[in-house]
Amino acid sequence: MAFDFDLFVIGGGSGGVRAARVAAQGGAKVGLAEEDKYGGTCVQRGCVPKKLMVFASEFPGAIEDAVQYGWTVHSGSFDWPAFRAKLEAELDRLEGVYRNILGNAGVQSFDARAVVADPHTVELSTGERFSAKHILVATGGWPVKPDLPGAEDAITSNEIFHLDSLPKSILIIGGGYIACEFAGILNGLGVEVTQYYRGAQILRGFDEEARGLISEEMIQNGVDLHLGTNIIEMEKVDGGFRVKSTNGDERVFEQVMFATGRAPNTAGLGLEQAGVKLGRNGQVIVDDYSQTSVPSIYAVGDVTDRVNLTPVAIREGMAFVETVFNGNPTPVDHALIPTAIFTQPEMGTVGLSEEEARDQEAVEIYCTSFRPMQTAFVGRPDRVLMKLVVSKATRKVLGCHIVAPGAGEMIQLAGIAVKMGATKEDFDRTVAVHPTMSEEIVTMREPTRSA
Ligand code: NDP
C-alpha cells in the first residue's frame, strides 16, 4: 500500500524535529505537525528562556562583587519589558531556525494540531488527513496545577516568561527543578520570593548532601523557603492573591506560581482509540526502541515520561530513526545521564546519589565543601560542594555531584569519565588544574566516610 508519508511526526519540539530531520535527510518522505511555536518546551517555554533569565538574574550579585574588586559601579535597575522584548525576539529567531531546519531537510510541516485517526492515519485541525507508514508521537508535556480553590488564576512556568511586569512578591509552590530554578531567578531579579515545598527537603531524588547545601544557599540568598508546607487555597484580592497554607499562615502575594510537575500531552490525541497503551499519568508506554503497543506508532521525549530532558528526547529521536529507517535496532541508553539544575548555586550531577549507592553496595564517600576563592575574596559566605561516590568493590565512581557556579559545565566533562567507568584511582591519576574549584574532584585523598 502506498502511504502519503513514510513518517508523520506529531510535535515540533526537540525530539520530533530531530527525528523528522534525520529521517528526511536519509531519504524518507516526512510530514510534521505543530500546533504552537516550533522548538517545543525547551526552546519556547523551558531551557532556553530559563537560562537567559538565569544570566539576567546573576548581574546584581556580580555588580556587588565588582565593587568589592575595586570597580566603581553606578547603581541601576532591571528593565523587565526591555529584557522580555529581547527574549521574545530571540525565541522568535530560534523558532525560525527550527522551521528552516525542517524545510532544508525536505520535511513538509503543517501549522496545525494533528491527532491519530488510526494506526496509519493522522487527521489535522485543517481537516486534512494523511496516511503514514509510521507515526511518531513527540507531543511533550505540560505543567499541571493541583486541584484546589483558586489555582486556576495562578501561573506556571509557561506564563512566567511573558508577564507584563515583574511582581513585587511571588509564592512558588513545589520543590523540583522548576520551582527551585525560578526561586533563584526571581530572587536575583529583585522579586520577594516565598517558596512552599510539601516535603522535608527540596529536589527529592538528588544527593541529600547536595540538596541540603542548595537549600541553605537559597535561603542565604534571600529565598523565604518553607519546607513541610503546602498551599490549601487561594483567592484573588486587591493587589494579588490571599493564600492559606498548611502552616496556618494567611498571606497576600502579588503572584502565585505552581511548579508542581508536568504531565504528558496525550489528551485528545486519539491514541487510546488507536490501541496505544497509556500509563497511569497518561504517558505513552514504549519499549526500549520507543515503539508503542501499536507497531506502526512510536513515541519519544517527555510524552513517554522516561527521563524528561531535552538531550534525552533528541537521543530517543535519533535512535528511533536508526531503528526504523536504517535497519539498525538501537535502544536508548538511559544510564548515567549527566544533568544540571540551574539553581543558584547550580548543581551538576551524574550517576547515583550516596543514598541510592548505599542501598546497592558498600561505598566510600569523598566529599569536600568550601568557600571558593572568587567569592570568599569579597567576603561572601557562599560554599561549594564536590562529591564522589565510589564503589568499594570495583573502585568505580558511581556518582559525582557538584554544587558550584558553573557546575553544569563541569559535570558535562566529569560525566565522560563516569560514563567510561573511571575508577577513583583514574581520577587521582589526573593532575589538578590550579587554581580552580573543580580541582578538588581529583585531589580528595581520604574518604570522608564509608557506608
Ligand atoms: P518535578 O517533578 O521535578 O517537581 C514537582 C514538584 O512539585 C515536586 O517538588 C513535588 O513534590 C511538587 N508537587 C507535586 N504535586 C504537588 C501538589 N499537589 N502540591 C504541592 N506540591 C506538589 O517537576 P518540575 O515541574 O519542577 O519539572 C518537570 C520536569 O522537567 C523535571 O522532572 C525535569 O525532568 C524537567 N526539567 C529539567 C530541567 C533541567 O534539566 N535543568 C529544568 C526544568 C525542568 P514531591 O517531591 O513531594 O513529589
Side-chain angles (χ1 to χ4, degrees):
M1 170 183 169
F3 294 101
D4 297 325
F5 291 100
D6 299 316
L7 170 66
F8 200 96
V9 180
I10 308 181
S14 303
V17 167
R18 178 61 66 95
R21 168 169 74 81
V22 179
Q25 283 171 338
K29 186 165 186 232
V30 183
L32 181 147
E34 168 58 57
E35 61 179 331
D36 199 338
K37 290 175 85 177
Y38 286 68
T41 297
C42 172
V43 173
Q44 299 298 340
R45 291 173 293 277
C47 322
V48 171
K50 180 271 306 288
K51 188 99 190 256
L52 289 167
M53 278 181 80
V54 169
F55 292 143
S57 72
E58 285 176 342
F59 283 100
I63 292 167
E64 273 174 28
D65 291 356
V67 174
Q68 297 297 321
Y69 270 90
W71 287 92
T72 303
V73 177
H74 304 287
S75 64
S77 57
F78 180 60
D79 185 344
W80 166 255
F83 170 77
R84 195 196 52 204
K86 220 165 167 329
L87 180 66
E88 287 173 349
E90 176 62 4
L91 302 186
D92 286 346
R93 185 186 73 79
L94 290 171
E95 149 145 84
V97 169
Y98 269 71
R99 282 181 184 273
N100 284 342
I101 286 173
L102 292 172
N104 293 342
V107 176
Q108 197 177 344
S109 42
F110 301 87
D111 293 356
R113 177 172 172 80
V115 299
V116 174
D118 68 46
H120 288 288
T121 309
V122 292
E123 189 172 307
L124 271 51
S125 47
T126 53
E128 291 160 289
R129 276 170 85 93
F130 296 109
S131 62
K133 185 161 186 212
H134 299 284
I135 295 171
L136 179 67
V137 181
T139 48
W142 200 251
V144 286
K145 297 180 198 173
D147 185 17
L148 58 88
E152 61 280 1
D153 293 319
I155 59 168
T156 67
S157 56
N158 278 355
E159 291 77 38
I160 195 81
F161 305 110
H162 305 289
L163 298 175
D164 289 336
S165 57
L166 278 185
K168 202 171 142 344
S169 62
I170 192 165
L171 170 66
I172 298 179
I173 296 145
Y177 282 79
I178 297 180
C180 295
E181 290 182 340
F182 276 98
I185 290 170
L186 294 169
N187 181 53
L189 294 178
V191 179
E192 281 167 32
V193 178
T194 305
Q195 184 179 355
Y196 288 170
Y197 173 51
R198 63 185 180 182
Q201 186 54 280
I202 54 168
L203 298 172
R204 184 163 61 80
F206 291 99
D207 186 87
E208 241 170 62
E209 225 169 355
R211 300 156 72 193
L213 179 62
I214 293 172
S215 150
E216 273 171 33
E217 297 277 320
M218 282 172 63
I219 293 167
Q220 187 181 285
N221 289 341
V223 174
D224 185 16
L225 173 64
H226 297 252
L227 299 173
T229 305
N230 208 352
I231 181 172
I232 299 171
E233 62 178 51
M234 55 183 280
E235 58 165 338
K236 258 191 177 154
V237 291
D238 247 11
F241 300 93
R242 184 186 305 284
V243 173
K244 274 193 200 166
S245 52
T246 51
N247 62 3
D249 270 3
E250 205 172 308
R251 288 172 60 185
V252 173
F253 300 94
E254 194 179 321
Q255 191 59 270
V256 177
M257 170 173 154
F258 282 96
T260 44
R262 295 171 57 84
N265 260 334
T266 47
L269 270 186
L271 290 169
E272 280 173 303
Q273 294 86 322
V276 175
K277 286 211 176 77
L278 303 184
R280 231 162 45 96
N281 299 326
Q283 77 274 27
V284 180
I285 296 184
V286 289
D287 66 10
D288 290 349
Y289 303 91
S290 299
Q291 190 173 31
T292 72
S293 50
V294 174
S296 58
I297 303 181
Y298 287 71
V300 295
D302 288 6
V303 76
T304 63
D305 200 16
R306 287 177 278 181
V307 180
N308 299 332
L309 299 171
T310 300
V312 176
I314 290 173
R315 288 282 171 116
E316 290 167 358
M318 308 251 288
F320 155 76
V321 175
E322 199 55 28
T323 301
V324 174
F325 292 95
N326 298 343
N328 177 24
T330 306
V332 179
D333 178 5
H334 287 107
L336 294 173
I337 294 169
T339 180
I341 307 165
F342 295 97
T343 38
Q344 299 175 21
E346 205 168 295
M347 164 144 79
T349 176
V350 61
L352 301 181
S353 66
E354 177 178 342
E355 297 69 40
E356 286 168 333
R358 267 199 264 137
D359 282 347
Q360 181 183 297
E361 61 185 282
V363 287
E364 278 180 355
I365 305 301
Y366 295 79
C367 186
T368 177
S369 179
F370 56 94
R371 292 171 67 198
M373 193 185 199
Q374 187 181 351
T375 44
F377 181 72
V378 299
R380 280 193 190 275
D382 305 17
R383 300 185 74 78
V384 300
L385 176 136
M386 308 277 156
K387 178 166 179 177
L388 295 177
V389 179
V390 177
S391 161
K392 269 191 180 168
T394 65
R395 303 298 299 155
K396 275 191 183 168
V397 175
L398 303 174
C400 176
H401 311 284
I402 302 176
V403 178
E409 304 288 349
M410 297 179 203
I411 207 68
Q412 179 69 81
L413 304 178
I416 300 171
V418 175
K419 185 80 186 163
M420 289 176 75
T423 60
K424 175 67 172 65
E425 285 62 39
D426 292 324
F427 275 64
D428 293 347
R429 283 193 296 120
T430 307
V431 174
V433 177
H434 185 70
T436 63
M437 292 179 277
S438 53
E439 67 182 297
E440 297 289 331
I441 281 286
V442 297
T443 55
M444 292 185 284
R445 291 286 171 253
E446 294 302 318
T448 318
R449 57 186 169 275
S450 292

